[in-house]
Amino acid sequence: ALMDDSGTIGVVGPVEAGDAKLYIDGFVAGVNATEPDTQVNVSYTGSFGDTALAAEAANTHIRAGAKVLTGSAQQVVGAIGVAAENSVYWLGTQSDQSPLAPEWVLANQVYDWTGVIKDMLAKRQEGVLGGTAYALSLSDGLIIRFNEQVAVPDEVKAAAEAAIEQIKAGEINPLP
């Protein structure tokens, strides 16, 4: 929200369910908490892998004035390409999407499954087969990585890092 100067941010979602919906709902809540006057336009393509639909959704958001986009699922490759072609910033999730648009991906929420996998292996060695549900959080498994190739202003990074610490401390609920 602090990198936007248009008052409009676009979100390209796959299917309105599961972790995609959780990410999008949390993203929208974060924008609203940071810049309440910013409009967040969310579109769902109905597909996890249709890159052409994601590109079309990104184009629609850009035509509506968005200067910052995000989205989730494998489909975002199409949206990231459109963002880069239109000099629009992108916020990635699930993995480091910076190589797809090095000059336009601001930061990425990256899944680090190391702790979960170690716990699964330890439980397996103890003879425990299943029965554990895992959830990643900013305190355990979700990492925010800024793209060093993009000049994100220090005050924006500081605000993001402060919000992350507040979420970890339970001072901010990232879900609406």
Side-chain angles (χ1 to χ4, degrees):
L2 296 177
M3 291 296 292
D4 171 65
D5 62 3
S6 70
T8 304
I9 293 177
V11 181
V12 180
V15 174
E16 192 174 358
D19 64 341
K21 182 164 175 25
L22 287 173
Y23 170 73
I24 291 168
D25 289 351
F27 181 86
V28 171
V31 170
N32 290 335
T34 305
E35 293 290 337
D37 293 334
T38 296
Q39 179 167 339
V40 183
N41 296 327
V42 178
S43 60
Y44 288 96
T45 65
S47 170
F48 288 99
D50 192 327
T51 57
L53 277 177
E56 185 178 322
N59 273 315
T60 299
H61 290 304
I62 292 167
R63 282 193 301 273
K67 299 291 185 196
V68 176
L69 298 174
T70 192
S72 68
Q74 299 83 350
Q75 68 172 354
V76 298
V77 173
I80 295 168
V82 168
E85 290 168 7
N86 289 278
S87 303
V88 169
Y89 289 122
W90 180 266
L91 293 161
T93 186
Q94 299 166 327
S95 64
D96 184 354
Q97 298 168 347
S98 301
L100 298 172
E103 295 176 7
W104 297 104
V105 176
L106 293 171
N108 297 279
Q109 173 187 269
V110 179
Y111 294 177
D112 180 0
W113 294 99
T114 305
V116 170
I117 292 170
K118 284 182 179 181
D119 188 65
M120 287 178 177
L121 292 172
K123 286 183 177 179
R124 173 65 178 105
Q125 289 175 342
E126 296 167 3
V128 177
L129 303 177
T132 303
Y134 295 94
L136 298 181
S137 71
L138 288 171
S139 296
D140 185 25
L142 291 181
I143 301 166
I144 305 298
R145 289 194 184 132
F146 289 96
N147 179 1
E148 297 302 322
Q149 296 181 56
V150 178
V152 177
D154 290 339
E155 61 273 11
V156 172
K157 282 184 183 178
E161 289 165 355
I164 291 166
E165 292 306 315
Q166 289 175 308
I167 291 169
K168 287 179 180 180
E171 298 166 9
I172 295 177
N173 180 0
L175 299 176

